[in-house]
Amino acid sequence: MASLDKWYMSLALRLAREASLRGEVPVGAILVVEGKIAGWGRNDRMIKNNILGHAELIAIQRASENIQNWRLMRSTLYVTLEPCIMCTGALLQSRVDRVVFGCRDAKMGAVRSLYALAEDPRLNHRIKIEEGVLADESSALLRNFFENLRTR
């Protein structure tokens, strides 16, 4: 499974790079349902002036439309950055089984860094979490983006 995780994460990184080129925080997400890519997203909240423009939410919406079901069971989300509270809530609500993420988000991370919402025993659904897949690449992309932003 590890090589497959890396392959899907490399696709998410490609989307993150595209987001960066568009002036967006470089985050990309791929949602795989039953072994097939059902949805994908890259941050677009600046372009669309919409706070809901997180890569994860866009991937969830596309996957739900593609499979014609809001329940995304037997699915894995690959995302370059640890999901925030809003995205983790959507992942829980949509019944995603597993989240694989690249690097942690010390300021907004809701599955490992600040909170462990995805595995909270009080909830009726829990998400398996795998972290650190292509973490160096994900982290470098974000670091370079913000360094370039500060020098402008």
Side-chain angles (χ1 to χ4, degrees), residues 17-145:
R17 286 185 198 96
E18 290 174 9
S20 180
L21 292 172
R22 301 168 78 188
E24 297 283 352
V25 174
V27 179
I30 300 284
L31 209 152
V32 177
V33 179
E34 295 183 350
K36 295 182 179 140
I37 295 174
W40 59 272
R42 62 178 170 250
N43 276 4
D44 72 0
R45 69 182 180 172
M46 298 293 285
I47 290 169
K48 295 193 175 176
N49 199 28
N50 183 347
I51 191 61
L52 301 176
H54 287 215
E56 301 96 311
L57 297 181
I58 296 165
I60 289 168
Q61 185 172 4
R62 282 190 171 126
S64 295
E65 289 169 0
N66 285 334
I67 69 166
Q68 295 293 294
N69 196 336
W70 62 268
R71 291 178 191 89
L72 300 173
M73 295 190 244
R74 293 176 300 283
S75 65
T76 299
L77 178 81
Y78 296 88
V79 62
T80 56
L81 180 65
E82 178 182 6
C84 70
I85 294 168
M86 176 174 64
C87 292
T88 303
L91 292 162
L92 286 161
Q93 289 289 331
S94 60
R95 310 299 195 269
V96 167
D97 290 324
R98 184 170 171 251
V99 169
V100 177
F101 71 89
C103 61
R104 286 189 178 200
D105 185 346
K107 294 183 179 181
M108 295 296 285
V111 298
R112 285 286 190 262
S113 296
L114 297 177
Y115 306 99
L117 292 178
E119 299 166 311
D120 190 319
R122 296 169 295 179
L123 300 174
N124 68 330
H125 179 72
R126 285 173 218 51
I127 302 170
K128 294 177 197 99
I129 303 297
E130 176 81 28
E131 70 173 291
V133 176
L134 301 183
D136 292 340
E137 293 89 334
S138 298
S139 181
L141 189 58
L142 285 157
R143 186 174 46 256
N144 292 339
F145 175 81

